[in-house]
Amino acid sequence: MFLHLGGDVVVLKKDIIAILDARIKNSAITREFIEIAKDEGFIQPISNQEKEKSFVITSKEIYVSPISCTTLKKRSDNIMENTEDES
């Protein structure tokens, strides 16, 4: 199944490694990780920097999403419930 991250971006749920709150950038180690990923071209912004609410780390890229971690989790859970109901 797919998860909509904002804008025109959807990713396969099985490719998602982690969804992190954007406020974790306050941590030095996380800031360093994000900077290295940005320098190496792995960061894919979905919206402008003022609206970033979460980082979605996938097996290929890191998306900066304007959608909160909580909302993404709820969307993900709803997808799972809908597929289980269809079984």
Side-chain angles (χ1 to χ4, degrees):
M1 298 311 287
F2 293 94
L3 181 62
H4 177 250
L5 303 181
D8 294 332
V9 180
V10 293
V11 296
L12 282 171
K13 278 185 58 174
K14 68 177 186 155
D15 290 342
I16 296 173
I17 297 169
I19 300 174
L20 307 172
D21 192 304
R23 292 177 288 183
I24 64 165
K25 283 195 320 186
N26 297 333
S27 162
I29 191 81
T30 305
R31 226 180 2 256
E32 181 181 356
F33 171 75
I34 297 297
E35 287 302 316
I36 291 170
K38 193 177 291 184
D39 291 344
E40 294 185 8
F42 289 106
I43 300 287
Q44 298 296 322
I46 298 172
S47 67
N48 58 26
Q49 193 170 10
E50 301 89 50
K51 294 186 178 185
E52 65 185 32
K53 293 189 179 174
S54 61
F55 295 105
V56 180
I57 301 172
T58 69
S59 55
K60 297 177 185 173
E61 297 174 303
I62 300 172
Y63 295 93
V64 182
S65 176
I67 300 171
S68 72
C69 295
T70 306
T71 301
L72 291 172
K73 169 101 170 78
K74 286 178 185 175
R75 286 182 182 182
S76 177
D77 290 345
N78 286 339
I79 291 170
M80 289 303 294
E81 288 174 10
N82 290 339
T83 58
E84 289 173 359
D85 291 344
E86 293 173 4
S87 300

